[in-house]
Amino acid sequence: MNESTPIAADRLRQNWQQAFERAVAYAEALGVGAGERERLATAAVEAASQAPVWPAGATAVSECLRALRTLVQAEVPQPAHLHAADEDPFVGWRLNAFFAHSLAAVSPQPLFSSMPPLARRSMVPERVERRVFKRWLNRLQGISSESTRRGTALRQQRRHWKWTAIAARRRLLLAVLVLLPSIVASGFMVNVLPHQGRTWLEVAITLFFGALFGWISIGFWTATIGFFLLARGHDRFAITNLADDDPSNFRPAGRTAIVMPICEEPVARVFAGLKAIYASLERTGAIEHFDFFIMSDTADPSRAADEELAWAMWCRDIGRLDRIFYRRRRVRLKRKSGNVADFCRRWGSQYAYMIMLDADSIMAGETLVKLVAMMERQSDAGIIQTAPRAVNRMSLQARAQQFAGRVYGPMFAAGLHYWQLGDGQYWGHNAIIRVKPFMDHCGLPRLSGKPPFGGDILSHDFVEAALMGRAGWTLWLAYDLGGSYEEVPSTLLEEMGRDRRWCQGNLQHLRLLRSEGLFGAHRALFINGVLSYVSAFLWFCFLGLSTAEAIIDALTEPDYFPHGASLFPEWPIWRPDWALSLMAVTAAILFLPKVLSLALIVFKNRQASQFGGLARLSLSAFLELILSSLLAPIRMVFHSRFVVTNLLGRTVTWTSQSRGDAETSWPVAMRQHGFDTVFASAWGLSLYWLNPDYFWWVTPIIGALFVSIPLSVLGSRGWLGEWIRQRRLFLIPEESMPPRELQELVALESASMSGTEDGWVNALVEPRRNAVHRALARGRRRVGASIAASRREFVDLGLKLGPNALDAPKRRVLWRDPLLVDAVHQGIWESPKDASFAQWSDDAAPETHD
């Protein structure tokens, strides 16, 4: 290099020494071996110092790094595939991806991709006529739509299936078992009331009571039928009868995609779960028939950077870039359903089936293979849903839920299958779906009007199941298939946040009830989903009306001649003995299924030892009964509030469910439950003063609301759950005898990335992390000169003041522009060590190379 002005020898040595040290550090960050770093750095210094001309603004550091990257790229071969675990091809990846095009390139193309080649196919919503009068008018005019013609043909076809006639008889039986006792119980309630239903208030009380009695009767008869089905031990309609237990016979006609949509999820947990599933599939010998897709809607740059790195490291470790794919959408249309549709449109035509997972799902490889085998043998099956078991939570409330689901869940799932048969439901995850009919018929329309009842369909799974059934495909619940797991919210408030979203989505289904061509079973599932939240509001109204009756009775003089002069007065009559009998029957309907579940575990399955033994199993069931009884009124108030706010037109922000074990603080609990506590106190005091007799009837509900704050806080505490676990209470078989997949999940998650480092900063500083993002970045969108200039100001601001000077919107702008990412990365490494480099590198976690 020819210099225009003389430079002192010591200053020159200092500049090149700094360039040499920076080159060594960069080579180390690239993963270059310890023995090669200094050799390459020395060669880079020589090449930079001998350059005849430097670009404007260049420094010794920038030219040395430029020469170093050229040298490393020339020496490291670019691998065609990732096979050898002892070779690290990331240096070749990194440099080729980073320098495939100049910084001025508009559309840099990476030399490797996180996605398979596109095989585009459309997925558009079918036209579904929801206007009843319009359908009638069309029929009178002899006009029939394609869906109507298909529906007529389908009903003719269904007559030849054995299960359809049996399902109709079973559902008629359920209707009789629910309606008749509800009518009888309502008659009892009329006689319990003081005026025997002669006032409008008592008529309303009776109607609400009858509806609630019918609602709990559905659960009772479902559980009872499930008990007898499991006790008998044989079900000729079980879809699992089609599975082949010999893995050597597994030769599916098509490939299966394992799809996990994620959005702002804990990265370590997501990839630990996927790795455990992959390892389990490898042990079955069927891994070559499956591909994995991580479909991300994550907007946070820090978490997105962690996702990209976790995907790249996983591909590197197992050498399967051709089997594990990752895509992050720029535009998050229709949330999860839109993400799934995005997969279907791009790659769905390449797969016969897709297995849908949630971010907290775990499934055994044998279970996945059996699901595909069942699909192969049941040619009319569109969806097969498993019954996932709740695992892996440590808070007191979550452990109680896990225990309840494991003890009572199998019986209820068997009962659901008994009523539904091939008209089952889809819960959105841990299920296998036949891709082609899903793409043909399950595109979701946008509802007219504004949210909460209009707009995008939120609770999409029930709707997709109904549309699949409408097209003639059957849906089955594999209630007795193991190896399917999920995780529940760890706190009551997290559960209520999830339920608020589900409530709005389920209430939307009211607009779909009259849709053309749907079968009665799926309309009933829509109503069932609505009632799962509206029933709480009905209970709240029943309590309010009963309280009003008690207060009116206490404050007003009885009218013995309400219809004028008469020889015979009408005496108000209270029948506390009848009320006690009615309460006993209601309690039996609520709690008898729990007793039957314990009987199955102890006498049929002989699994009491896996729940801690008979004594601990019984004590755990009693404690769960107490806890669920206390939580029921709290959930009632929340669900009632959700229903009312939705009816008033208030919508909810649809965010990702919180994963992992979290705890509720006292201030948060007081803010969320404070009003309910005050309301319960005023309610109780007023009743005790005005009508003490009625007060004792509602004491359990008032008491539960009064202690909602400490119950919410203590229920979220992990140490309390651990204390319970150490005493082998709320124990489940997956803890006493954990499956291998769950053991691997725990080990992989604990060994994965952890800490509080900023993934976005790391991706801009660390060369290999930066290369991953650069390689995955799509083409830069053309922007106007003013927008480009303002974005360049973000780069200058960050390089001058450090990462903390850039807020979340600015970070997202930089993250989406690959050229700006390049500019920041080079600016950091080419800056003096005591300036921008120090500000950024202090915030970046050191990268380890295995």
Side-chain angles (χ1 to χ4, degrees):
M1 171 185 169
N2 297 323
E3 297 180 335
S4 59
T5 58
I7 302 177
D10 57 342
R11 179 65 179 273
L12 183 62
R13 284 195 301 271
Q14 182 180 2
N15 288 344
W16 287 113
Q17 180 64 29
Q18 184 183 35
F20 174 80
E21 293 174 354
R22 189 65 60 84
V24 170
Y26 198 88
E28 179 183 6
L30 280 174
V32 176
E36 294 294 308
R37 296 170 195 161
E38 292 190 4
R39 181 184 66 82
L40 289 171
T42 301
V45 170
E46 291 177 357
S49 62
Q50 294 174 6
V53 179
W54 282 4
T59 64
V61 171
S62 65
E63 288 305 298
C64 185
L65 290 178
R66 191 188 309 273
L68 172 71
R69 292 188 287 256
T70 303
L71 289 170
V72 176
Q73 184 173 5
E75 293 197 4
V76 179
Q78 173 69 24
H81 299 285
L82 300 181
H83 292 300
D86 57 345
E87 295 183 30
D88 187 356
F90 255 58
V91 175
W93 274 16
R94 189 226 108 70
L95 292 174
N96 279 303
F98 192 89
F99 295 105
H101 293 261
S102 66
L103 293 179
V106 176
S107 299
Q109 298 296 325
L111 297 183
F112 76 102
S113 175
S114 65
M115 295 168 282
L118 291 177
R120 287 191 179 274
R121 236 212 70 184
S122 63
M123 182 178 175
V124 296
E126 291 185 303
R127 176 166 178 78
V128 179
E129 182 60 65
R130 294 192 296 271
R131 296 170 295 181
V132 177
F133 293 107
K134 178 65 174 177
R135 296 208 303 267
W136 289 349
L137 182 61
N138 289 340
R139 290 175 184 174
L140 291 175
Q141 296 176 347
I143 302 174
S144 61
S145 64
E146 178 184 352
S147 58
T148 301
R149 293 192 296 270
R150 185 179 62 233
T152 302
L154 176 58
R155 283 168 173 79
Q156 294 174 355
Q157 179 184 355
R158 285 168 62 95
R159 295 193 185 101
H160 301 290
W161 292 338
K162 293 181 180 179
W163 63 266
T164 53
I166 295 174
R169 292 197 295 268
R170 290 179 178 182
R171 294 163 193 167
L172 178 61
L173 173 63
L174 176 63
V176 172
L177 291 175
V178 170
L179 290 176
L180 289 183
S182 299
I183 294 172
V184 172
S186 298
F188 267 81
M189 174 56 73
V190 168
N191 291 316
V192 164
L193 296 172
H195 300 286
Q196 286 75 53
R198 292 190 296 267
T199 66
W200 68 267
L201 189 57
E202 292 187 352
V203 170
I205 291 173
T206 303
L207 291 176
F208 279 110
F209 175 81
L212 290 170
F213 194 91
W215 171 248
I216 64 174
S217 296
I218 294 174
F220 170 78
W221 291 114
T222 298
T224 303
I225 289 294
F227 168 79
F228 287 111
L229 196 63
L230 295 178
R232 187 175 61 180
H234 173 71
D235 179 8
R236 59 174 171 149
F237 289 112
I239 191 70
T240 49
N241 294 338
L242 301 173
D244 191 344
D245 292 331
D246 186 359
S248 63
N249 296 331
F250 184 69
R251 296 180 181 86
R255 299 188 57 74
T256 300
I258 298 176
V259 183
M260 179 181 281
I262 60 176
C263 180
E264 315 289 355
E265 308 287 356
V267 178
R269 169 60 182 85
V270 165
F271 283 89
L274 289 170
K275 290 176 183 178
I277 296 172
Y278 186 95
S280 183
L281 262 176
E282 271 192 320
R283 291 191 290 270
T284 68
I287 189 65
E288 295 303 320
H289 299 286
F290 294 84
D291 291 342
F292 286 72
F293 284 83
I294 303 104
M295 306 295 294
S296 175
D297 268 353
T298 298
D300 175 40
S302 182
R303 191 159 292 183
D306 289 339
E307 289 174 3
E308 293 174 350
L309 182 67
W311 166 81
M313 293 295 106
W314 185 19
C315 289
R316 183 199 66 174
D317 292 341
I318 64 175
R320 296 312 302 261
L321 193 63
D322 59 337
R323 286 288 178 267
I324 302 170
F325 305 108
Y326 170 84
R327 165 172 162 77
R328 188 167 61 87
R329 292 198 299 172
R330 282 182 172 177
V331 182
R332 304 188 296 175
L333 292 176
K334 295 188 176 181
R335 303 176 178 87
K336 179 181 176 179
S337 64
N339 207 355
V340 174
D342 182 71
F343 161 79
C344 291
R345 284 190 296 267
R346 290 171 178 269
W347 303 290
S349 60
Q350 298 178 348
Y351 297 93
Y353 316 110
M354 61 179 176
I355 295 175
M356 195 59 55
L357 302 178
D358 257 359
D360 55 13
S361 297
I362 286 289
M363 297 188 75
E366 292 182 358
T367 302
L368 300 176
V369 170
K370 287 181 180 178
L371 285 172
V372 175
M374 287 185 275
M375 275 289 193
E376 292 279 300
R377 298 193 177 194
Q378 185 80 12
S379 60
D380 58 70
I383 299 177
I384 300 177
Q385 173 70 60
T386 67
R389 298 167 180 172
V391 294
N392 286 355
R393 284 288 181 258
M394 288 306 301
S395 70
L396 174 62
Q397 177 182 321
R399 288 189 59 78
Q401 279 190 288
Q402 288 175 179
F403 174 81
R406 191 64 177 85
V407 173
Y408 317 132
M411 199 169 70
F412 280 93
L416 280 176
H417 165 78
Y418 183 85
W419 305 124
Q420 295 172 351
L421 292 183
D423 287 328
Q425 58 201 78
Y426 168 47
W427 295 328
H429 59 93
N430 292 51
I432 186 169
I433 302 171
R434 199 178 296 269
V435 176
K436 187 179 184 305
F438 184 86
M439 294 177 65
D440 290 341
H441 308 292
C442 295
L444 297 181
R446 181 179 175 85
L447 300 178
S448 60
K450 296 181 179 180
F453 295 103
D456 294 333
I457 295 176
L458 303 183
S459 294
H460 57 90
D461 37 19
F462 279 27
V463 179
E464 289 162 345
L467 293 175
M468 185 74 87
R470 175 177 177 265
W473 297 89
T474 57
L475 300 94
W476 297 88
L477 174 61
Y479 68 93
D480 54 347
L481 182 63
S484 178
Y485 310 99
E486 64 176 349
E487 296 171 358
V488 296
S490 59
T491 71
L492 177 63
L493 293 181
E494 285 180 6
E495 178 190 335
M496 292 300 100
R498 179 200 64 185
D499 284 359
R500 186 180 181 187
R501 299 187 296 271
W502 287 1
C503 176
Q504 179 176 330
N506 285 9
L507 289 177
Q508 277 186 323
H509 296 166
L510 290 171
R511 297 190 58 188
L512 302 173
L513 277 175
R514 299 171 298 173
S515 296
E516 182 181 18
L518 297 185
F519 287 100
H522 293 291
R523 298 183 200 271
L525 288 174
F526 283 166
I527 296 174
N528 183 77
V530 172
L531 285 176
S532 61
Y533 295 98
V534 173
S535 61
F537 181 63
L538 296 179
W539 185 17
F540 184 83
C541 291
F542 172 75
L543 291 173
L545 293 173
S546 301
T547 299
E549 173 81 355
I551 293 176
I552 291 173
D553 183 72
L555 295 179
T556 60
E557 290 290 334
D559 185 2
Y560 301 105
F561 302 97
H563 304 293
S566 174
L567 295 176
F568 303 100
E570 296 182 6
W571 303 98
I573 302 174
W574 287 97
R575 297 182 182 270
D577 52 336
W578 284 33
L580 289 172
S581 300
L582 194 57
M583 186 176 69
V585 171
T586 304
I589 288 177
L590 290 173
F591 303 132
L592 182 59
K594 298 178 182 290
V595 178
L596 296 178
S597 297
L598 295 177
L600 275 178
I601 292 173
V602 175
F603 299 110
K604 172 64 179 178
N605 302 329
R606 302 190 182 279
Q607 292 181 324
S609 60
Q610 299 180 25
F611 291 88
L614 179 59
R616 288 187 174 88
L617 172 62
S618 302
L619 180 57
S620 297
F622 176 74
L623 292 176
E624 191 279 330
L625 175 63
I626 298 299
L627 185 59
S628 61
S629 299
L630 289 172
L631 291 175
I634 303 174
R635 291 188 175 109
M636 172 200 69
V637 171
F638 272 92
H639 290 176
S640 299
R641 189 178 297 130
F642 300 158
V643 171
V644 171
T645 55
N646 276 281
L647 291 176
L648 293 177
R650 293 179 58 185
T651 187
V652 62
T653 302
W654 197 272
T655 57
S656 298
Q657 177 180 320
S658 177
R659 314 285 182 183
D661 286 304
E663 294 187 348
T664 301
S665 65
W666 286 97
V668 170
M670 285 188 285
R671 185 167 61 251
Q672 295 294 329
H673 300 284
F675 177 81
D676 300 341
T677 303
V678 173
F679 174 80
S681 301
W683 181 21
L685 290 173
S686 301
L687 277 179
Y688 187 78
W689 175 46
L690 295 171
N691 195 329
D693 292 334
Y694 181 73
F695 166 79
W696 297 111
W697 286 93
V698 295
T699 296
I701 298 171
I702 294 174
L705 294 175
F706 184 77
V707 300
S708 59
I709 293 175
L711 193 63
S712 182
V713 171
L714 295 177
S716 71
R717 293 297 185 253
W719 64 264
L720 190 53
E722 176 63 20
W723 185 85
I724 290 288
R725 189 189 67 82
Q726 290 176 357
R727 282 145 186 81
R728 298 181 66 79
L729 297 174
F730 293 151
L731 193 69
I732 58 176
E734 285 72 22
E735 291 175 318
S736 57
M737 300 176 61
R740 186 171 179 178
E741 292 78 16
L742 297 184
Q743 296 180 45
E744 290 176 338
L745 169 64
V746 174
L748 288 167
E749 187 175 7
S750 61
S752 297
M753 297 179 301
S754 61
T756 58
E757 63 268 15
D758 190 330
W760 178 78
V761 174
N762 282 332
L764 292 176
V765 176
E766 293 290 342
R768 296 209 297 180
R769 299 190 186 198
N770 180 264
V772 172
H773 176 66
R774 265 304 269 116
L776 300 185
R778 280 158 282 175
R780 184 189 191 190
R781 295 183 177 180
R782 296 184 180 274
V783 296
S786 60
I787 296 178
S790 65
R791 291 182 176 180
R792 183 66 204 191
E793 291 178 0
F794 297 166
V795 175
D796 297 337
L797 180 65
L799 292 176
K800 180 179 180 181
L801 301 178
N804 293 331
L806 300 174
D807 57 16
K810 292 184 177 68
R811 290 188 175 203
R812 285 194 290 270
V813 168
L814 289 178
W815 186 249
R816 289 194 293 264
D817 193 321
L819 301 187
L820 297 183
V821 170
D822 277 348
V824 174
H825 177 73
Q826 292 197 90
I828 292 169
W829 278 93
E830 293 171 4
S831 64
K833 211 168 188 179
D834 57 350
S836 179
F837 182 83
Q839 297 182 61
W840 285 84
S841 59
D842 288 346
D843 287 343
E847 186 175 13
T848 58
H849 309 296
D850 41 30

